[in-house]
């Protein structure tokens, strides 16, 4: 047992230095050399000031903006320091109540909004920070935003189409639209 | 199942099967000391061994090997515990995170050392960068290395005959880390950064958002407890903010080994659902591959080391068949819409999107959930707690199979080889012959070790669940009412005993009760299997190798594959079907029968 103690302690220390200090430090240096923007958090800069990250969603509730996925973070939605989902089970009445509240809010902001509602627009994301919505969910909101901003719907449709990303490499994931980028572009329309 | 889901599954299988061959050969050659890369690393290795006082050519018997592994892992647990308890006074803590409570620090230390990576805490609001790197990233490597060296020792037990030793634990741990885990992690972490995973040591960044967010802020009293009104509802104050604080940190370097080592403990609370951990669908696809690649490659390394490649392919085939069936189930059930929500006017075509990310959708989330729970990874890119009842049954059932279908790095294959011995034993009983596997006679001692290794995890999972549902501290953690609440507890103990680490995360598990109870399940679920497996390795190595005769059952053909699958499924079903019936099955019937 004692003869095992010295190698155990020494090897543990050596491998800790290698994998816990040298490795992350080397990756950080390489990341900054090759992918500085990504390594620093994919910040979205408008003018000269960062308005957020392309990868981290923000809360939108004003009728003149595209709304993103509902976020279950607390205390406020899209709290980037407390990522997580609602963890509500499918049969939990709290889930149905929350979804009903979101459908009502969408239809209060635009009484002509039809049913059914795109699912991603009324269900909470896994991270609470989902930056994207589906193209369907974006188009669903065009009527409301056009009315709030007094812009023709065609211009918004064109904007949505321009911001739609297909499946990555045509193979992976789902088609999506980055809500923050879309809303920044929306503000730039005028 | 949508056409996209089928394409995804087919592409995943094709790439996986193409990659495991070369990697398996490489791992086998490294562990047998034959690979040419050993010449490059030779100088480094010699320095390491001299510093440690290790004579690399001296091998160990199984008992020394087991003691070495236990000692090495015990030290790791102490280090992770200590770092968390002292982080407030240590460097690389830009957010001034406080020291972690003793019960949570204990749970996390055991969790990362046992390759479980169950997380009772929330990373972005609890741990300093130093703790994440020097504590967690290190254990992501070393617990993975531990799993691999144990299976290599077991394989040597089959490959050798009349031998007293099964290898040198220090040399094995060093080689796995240097030549297998580290190079793969470097490549993978740079790929992840290219996709958008962050990698820096900066403090969190506050940005001004486009819109002001209005919300209800829960009131807390002087002691930090939430204030409640007469009806027990929390009292809130209206509040607003236009600031979003973006978390930062050395994420990609930890993310890479988190997946490759089937660890699964996220830098952030949302794990692989977090855009800074898993930014794009392509990153997600490669993360899925990286979970299975080493467990798959080890099957073929096994075939190579025992001198019969077909043996490795047979085990891999059994795993792959079970994987495909479970993946189809998960993607199918999650594509279903929740009838309660469809009734309210939600479009049913999109499937169950609660707790899923838009960029991944149903197929990429369902496949990920299957992979992460079959391999004892436990990373999640969608919240399993919000899966449909049968969609959530799939990950739960996957863990109940004992994490042997691919399974954790090393642990999956040693678990599967234990089942293979069980399978030949059952077959031997049926035809009245002494069972043999790979020329080794399976006798009473081996069957005792096999029985311990197979029974220890269901015992921990079921006894833990039974205790928790009978105790106020256990019930207190439940987040969802009814059968789902029971499933949350069952999932927690199944996940910890099988060293998976994923959760039905609604369960409030960061309490002294759950921190201690799940830590016990994790520790014994890990080392209660490793020790009998090493004993098995020692006893097999000492045996003579028998030449196959006309009466020997071949263990590389379809018959054996079916027998192996049957054994795994039967043991899993016998252990867990009653518990499953009380949880997800009841919930499914309530959801679809009543509505």
């Amino acid at each position: 047992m004692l003869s095992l103690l010295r190698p155990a302690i020494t090897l543990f220390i050596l491998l800790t230095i290698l994998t816990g200090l040298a490795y992350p430090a080397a990756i950080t240096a390489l990341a900054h050399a090759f992918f500085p923007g990504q390594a620093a958090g994919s910040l979205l800069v408008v003018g000269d000031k960062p308005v957020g990250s392309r990868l981290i969603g923000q809360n939108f509730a004003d009728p003149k903006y595209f709304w993103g996925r509902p976020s279950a973070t607390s205390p406020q939605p899209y709290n980037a320091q407390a990522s997580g989902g609602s963890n509500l089970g499918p049969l939990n009445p709290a889930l149905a109540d929350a979804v009903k509240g979101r459908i009502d809010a969408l239809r209060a902001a635009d009484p002509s909004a039809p049913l059914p509602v795109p699912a991603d627009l009324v269900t909470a994301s896994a991270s609470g920070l989902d930056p994207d919505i589906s193209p369907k969910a974006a188009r669903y909101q065009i009527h409301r935003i056009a009315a709030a901003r007094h812009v023709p719907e065609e211009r918004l449709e064109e904007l949505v189409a321009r911001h739609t990303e297909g499946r990555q490499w045509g193979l992976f994931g789902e088609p999506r639209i980055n809500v923050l980028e879309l809303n920044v572009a929306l503000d730039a329309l005028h | 199942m949508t056409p996209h889901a089928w394409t995804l599954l087919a592409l995943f299988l094709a790439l996986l099967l193409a990659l495991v061959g070369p990697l398996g050969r490489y791992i086998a050659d490294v562990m047998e000391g034959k690979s040419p890369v050993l010449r490059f690393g030779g100088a480094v290795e010699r320095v390491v061994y001299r510093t440690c006082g290790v004579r690399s050519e001296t091998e160990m018997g199984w008992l020394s090997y087991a003691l070495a592994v236990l000692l090495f892992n015990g030290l790791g647990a102490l280090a992770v515990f200590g770092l968390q308890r002292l982080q407030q006074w240590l460097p690389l803590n830009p957010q001034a995170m406080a020291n972690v409570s003793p019960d949570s620090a204990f749970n996390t230390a055991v969790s990362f050392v046992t390759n479980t990576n169950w997380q009772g805490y929330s990373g972005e609001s609890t741990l300093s960068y130093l703790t994440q790197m020097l504590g967690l990233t290190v254990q992501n490597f070393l617990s993975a290395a531990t799993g691999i060296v144990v299976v290599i020792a077991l394989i040597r037990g089959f490959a050798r005959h009349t031998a007293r030793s099964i290898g040198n634990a220090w040399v094995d741990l060093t080689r796995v880390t240097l030549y297998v885990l580290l190079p793969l992690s470097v490549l993978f972490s740079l790929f992840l950064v290219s996709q958008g995973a962050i990698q820096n040591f900066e403090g969190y960044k506050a940005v001004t958002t486009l819109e002001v967010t209005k919300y209800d802020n829960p009131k807390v009293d002087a002691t930090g407890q939430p204030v409640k009104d007469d009806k027990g509802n929390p009292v809130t104050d209206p509040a607003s903010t236009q600031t979003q604080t973006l978390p930062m940190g050395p994420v990609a370097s930890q993310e890479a080994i988190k997946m490759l080592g089937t660890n699964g403990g996220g830098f952030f609370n949302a794990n692989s659902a977090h855009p800074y951990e898993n930014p794009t669908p392509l990153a997600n696809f490669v993360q899925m591959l990286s979970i299975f690649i080493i467990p798959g490659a080890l099957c073929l390394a096994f075939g190579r080391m025992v001198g019969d490649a077909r043996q490795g392919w047979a085990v891999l085939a059994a795993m792959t068949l079970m994987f495909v069936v479970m993946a189809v189930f998960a993607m199918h059930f999650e594509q279903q819409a929740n009838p309660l929500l469809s009734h309210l006017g939600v479009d049913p075509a999109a499937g169950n999107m609660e707790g899923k990310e838009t960029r991944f959708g149903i197929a990429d989330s369902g496949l990920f959930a299957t992979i992460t729970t079959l391999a004892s990874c436990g990373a999640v890119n969608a919240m399993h707690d919000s899966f449909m009842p049968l969609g959530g049954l799939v990950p739960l059932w996957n863990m109940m199979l004992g994490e042997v279908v691919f399974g954790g790095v090393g642990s999956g294959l040693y678990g599967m080889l234990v089942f293979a011995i069980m399978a030949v034993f059952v077959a031997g009983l049926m035809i009245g012959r002494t069972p043999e596997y790979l020329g080794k006679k399976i006798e009473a001692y081996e069957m005792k070790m096999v029985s311990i290794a197979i029974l220890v995890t269901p015992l921990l999972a079921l006894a833990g669940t039974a205790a928790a549902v009978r105790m106020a501290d256990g019930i207190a953690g439940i987040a969802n009412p009814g059968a789902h609440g029971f499933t949350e507890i069952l999932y927690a103990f199944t996940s910890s005993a099988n060293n998976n680490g994923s959760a039905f995360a609604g369960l409030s598990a960061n309490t002294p009760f759950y921190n201690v109870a799940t830590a016990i399940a994790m520790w014994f679920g890990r080392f209660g299997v490793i020790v009998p497996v090493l004993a098995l390795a020692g006893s097999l190595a000492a045996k003579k190798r028998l030449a196959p005769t006309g009466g020997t059952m071949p263990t590389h053909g379809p018959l054996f594959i079916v027998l192996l699958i049957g054994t795994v499924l039967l043991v899993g079903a016998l252990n867990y079907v009653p518990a499953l019936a009380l949880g997800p099955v009841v919930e499914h019937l309530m959801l679809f029968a009543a509505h």
Side-chain angles (χ1 to χ4, degrees), chain B residues 311-450:
Chain B
Q311 302 290 344
W313 283 107
V315 172
L316 186 62
M319 291 180 175
T320 307
L321 286 171
M322 283 189 269
F323 157 62
V324 169
V325 172
M326 298 324 290
V328 169
F329 276 139
M331 292 195 277
H332 168 75
F333 288 126
E334 286 309 294
Q335 190 62 55
Q336 284 185 321
N338 183 338
L340 294 179
L341 303 190
S342 307
H343 175 72
L344 293 172
V346 178
D347 184 6
N352 177 30
M353 281 301 286
E354 178 72 23
K356 292 194 180 60
E357 296 283 291
T358 308
R359 61 191 179 284
F360 305 141
I362 302 297
D364 302 54
S365 301
L367 186 58
F368 193 108
T370 312
I371 291 167
T372 195
T373 49
L374 279 176
S376 76
C377 180
V380 294
N381 77 348
M383 294 301 140
H384 295 181
D385 213 348
S386 296
F387 274 25
M388 296 296 282
L390 296 186
L393 184 145
V394 172
L396 188 53
W397 169 248
N398 288 347
M399 297 188 295
M400 288 171 170
L401 294 178
E403 300 296 12
V404 297
V405 180
F406 290 89
V409 289
S411 60
L413 182 60
Y414 65 65
M416 196 54 144
L417 292 176
V418 162
F419 272 105
I421 295 176
M422 180 66 135
V424 293
F425 176 73
V426 171
L429 286 183
M430 286 194 274
I431 56 170
R433 264 188 66 98
T434 312
E436 293 165 22
Y437 186 48
L438 305 172
K440 295 297 171 95
K441 209 185 257 183
I442 306 301
E443 294 168 293
Y445 180 80
E446 288 77 43
M447 285 318 296
K448 280 181 201 158
M449 294 304 129
V450 164

Side-chain angles (χ1 to χ4, degrees), chain A residues 23 83 86 89 92 117 124 130 168, chain B residues 124 253 269 282 354-355 358 480:
Chain A
Y23 159 71
S83 61
S86 74
N92 192 332
V117 182
D130 194 339
Q168 199 170 4
Chain B
E124 60 264 52
S253 54
N269 186 49
L282 177 65
E354 178 72 23
T358 308
N480 284 284

Side-chain angles (χ1 to χ4, degrees), chain B residues 55-75:
Chain B
R55 291 170 49 176
S56 58
E57 65 288 351
T58 313
E59 293 212 335
M60 300 171 174
W62 82 263
L63 197 57
S64 296
Y65 205 102
L67 282 173
V69 164
L70 285 173
L71 208 55
F72 191 70
N73 281 276
L75 282 172

Side-chain angles (χ1 to χ4, degrees), chain A residues 84-135:
Chain A
S86 74
N87 287 310
L88 295 176
L91 204 60
N92 192 332
L95 174 64
D97 286 350
V99 169
K100 185 168 182 309
R102 293 164 190 153
I103 296 176
D104 291 347
L106 278 167
R107 302 185 83 198
D110 178 9
S112 73
L115 289 177
V117 182
D120 58 315
L121 208 47
V122 289
T123 51
S125 63
S127 63
L129 306 172
D130 194 339
D132 305 310
I133 50 174
S134 66

Side-chain angles (χ1 to χ4, degrees), chain A residues 61-75:
Chain A
D62 193 313
K64 69 178 191 212
Y65 280 122
F66 284 94
W67 299 356
R69 296 289 301 276
S71 160
T73 61
S74 73

